[in-house]
Amino acid sequence: MTNRLVRGYQVTDWPMTFDTYSNCAHQCLYCFSFFQRAIGDGADDYLHHKVRPVNVERVKRMFMKPDEHGGQFANYIKKRMVLQWGGLSDGFDWYERKFRKSLELLKFFREIDYPISISTKGVWWVDDPEYQEVVRDAKNMHWKYSIISSIEDHVKKLEPGVPTARARFNAMRKLNDLGVGATTLRFRQFVLGTSDKCIEEMMQMGEDAGCYSVTTEFLTWESRASQTSKSRLDAMSKTLGYDVWEFYMKNSARASGLLRLNYDLKRPYILEMKESADELAFICFDLSVH
């Protein structure tokens, strides 16, 4: 098997992306969508956890009759380009347990055999017989689990509403046993102070779960939302053992409001991950430029 190191912007990888819900139950301290949703006209609903599900019938019409209802996505749908499911929220978190709209859509995409790539951190549904039935032998489904660290104490503090790292690895193993198309370990966000301390273990756990590939992306921070996110920054700094804001201001190329760590700082960790991927059975190791 071969591995490749790919650098490319996510936005060009996924011309179609959608979310089942307008909010996310996970409440991860580092969440990039928080910076977009916690300010502006929709901030009040977001911060008070008001949730709106997607219109399932409208989504179905888009894919059944793209020329009439597909809008800007009509050509992508007709070309059967992969749909990225999960951008600013998680369609398989605890809100899904209440509304079950993602289940309706899973059944639909299974029926039309449309290729979907799903990003999640939710695990409860993998043991639900109704979900198991719809994903069993579903080769059109690629499941990607985001896990920042195998250090469970850090996970609990940085991702207060998320299952343990081991529960997520176990969910991928169960999905592979059910015969889905593929599973991917999203070793992201890569957070210095925790992710860098468990690279070898994370990669090994991914292989043990039967993951097809690994992707990574370093944590970025939105400087324009620094006041809104101050409590999150303080909590992260306490857990990680350094001042996150000060570190990012010092080590980022500030061409815009988004703070991205410089490549020289990130390079050793990327090389370590690539070396580990080469030694294990991963088909692909992808790096976002962030």
Side-chain angles (χ1 to χ4, degrees), residues 220-273:
T220 59
W221 202 265
E222 178 52 75
S223 63
R224 291 164 292 191
S226 58
Q227 292 304 312
T228 307
S229 61
K230 187 178 186 306
S231 62
R232 294 181 171 223
L233 273 169
D234 291 345
M236 286 184 64
S237 297
K238 183 177 180 180
T239 298
L240 299 172
Y242 65 95
D243 188 315
V244 176
W245 175 254
E246 182 179 311
F247 184 83
Y248 269 75
M249 290 295 288
K250 180 180 179 180
N251 294 286
S252 297
R254 283 174 279 167
S256 67
L258 189 63
L259 302 179
R260 299 183 176 95
L261 295 175
N262 67 71
Y263 288 128
D264 288 338
L265 189 151
K266 293 184 286 190
R267 186 175 289 110
Y269 306 111
I270 293 299
L271 293 176
E272 184 177 349
M273 280 186 278

Side-chain angles (χ1 to χ4, degrees), residues 31-274:
C31 179
F32 69 88
S33 66
F34 171 86
F35 303 130
Q36 299 182 39
R37 289 177 164 176
I39 55 177
D41 295 337
D44 188 63
D45 284 352
Y46 178 79
L47 294 173
H48 288 86
H49 308 292
K50 295 181 180 179
V51 182
R52 295 187 309 276
V54 72
N55 185 323
V56 172
E57 295 306 314
R58 182 179 179 184
V59 174
K60 289 181 179 180
R61 289 195 297 270
M62 288 177 63
F63 283 83
M64 293 302 292
K65 296 182 178 180
D67 285 326
E68 295 181 36
H69 303 291
Q72 63 180 313
F73 303 111
N75 287 331
Y76 299 139
I77 294 171
K78 289 190 291 185
K79 292 177 180 178
R80 294 180 60 79
M81 296 187 70
V82 175
L83 173 66
Q84 167 59 31
W85 189 342
L88 296 178
S89 59
D90 192 328
F92 296 86
D93 62 7
W94 294 104
Y95 293 135
E96 169 63 11
R97 198 164 197 169
K98 175 181 179 180
F99 295 106
R100 299 177 82 85
K101 296 297 183 181
S102 292
L103 177 60
E104 293 182 47
L105 288 167
L106 276 179
K107 291 178 179 178
F108 171 69
F109 289 124
R110 176 70 186 267
E111 289 173 2
I112 66 173
D113 194 31
Y114 196 89
I116 52 178
S117 183
I118 306 162
S119 298
T120 185
K121 297 177 183 176
V123 304
W124 64 269
W125 62 273
V126 180
D127 294 316
D128 184 307
E130 195 169 4
Y131 289 82
Q132 289 178 338
E133 183 60 29
V134 74
V135 304
R136 192 183 306 277
D137 297 321
K139 303 305 181 186
N140 66 308
M141 299 180 188
H142 178 192
W143 293 90
K144 303 178 295 187
Y145 269 81
S146 300
I147 309 174
I148 64 168
S149 175
S150 60
I151 304 172
E152 298 290 8
D153 181 59
H154 289 177
V155 170
K156 184 177 181 179
K157 292 175 180 176
L158 299 177
E159 303 176 323
V162 184
T164 65
R166 281 154 181 79
R168 281 174 270 172
F169 279 112
N170 193 41
M172 285 191 283
R173 180 187 59 76
K174 291 178 180 179
L175 286 170
N176 285 319
D177 289 344
L178 286 167
V180 300
T183 59
T184 287
L185 165 59
R186 299 180 84 236
F187 193 175
R188 56 206 299 180
Q189 300 292 320
F190 192 93
V191 182
L192 292 178
T194 187
S195 305
D196 55 309
K197 298 181 182 300
C198 56
I199 291 175
E200 185 175 348
E201 182 177 30
M202 285 282 289
M203 301 293 276
Q204 185 62 60
M205 291 171 75
E207 185 194 38
D208 292 343
C211 292
Y212 167 86
S213 60
V214 179
T215 68
T216 194
E217 176 184 25
F218 278 73
L219 174 70
T220 59
W221 202 265
E222 178 52 75
S223 63
R224 291 164 292 191
S226 58
Q227 292 304 312
T228 307
S229 61
K230 187 178 186 306
S231 62
R232 294 181 171 223
L233 273 169
D234 291 345
M236 286 184 64
S237 297
K238 183 177 180 180
T239 298
L240 299 172
Y242 65 95
D243 188 315
V244 176
W245 175 254
E246 182 179 311
F247 184 83
Y248 269 75
M249 290 295 288
K250 180 180 179 180
N251 294 286
S252 297
R254 283 174 279 167
S256 67
L258 189 63
L259 302 179
R260 299 183 176 95
L261 295 175
N262 67 71
Y263 288 128
D264 288 338
L265 189 151
K266 293 184 286 190
R267 186 175 289 110
Y269 306 111
I270 293 299
L271 293 176
E272 184 177 349
M273 280 186 278
K274 185 179 186 300

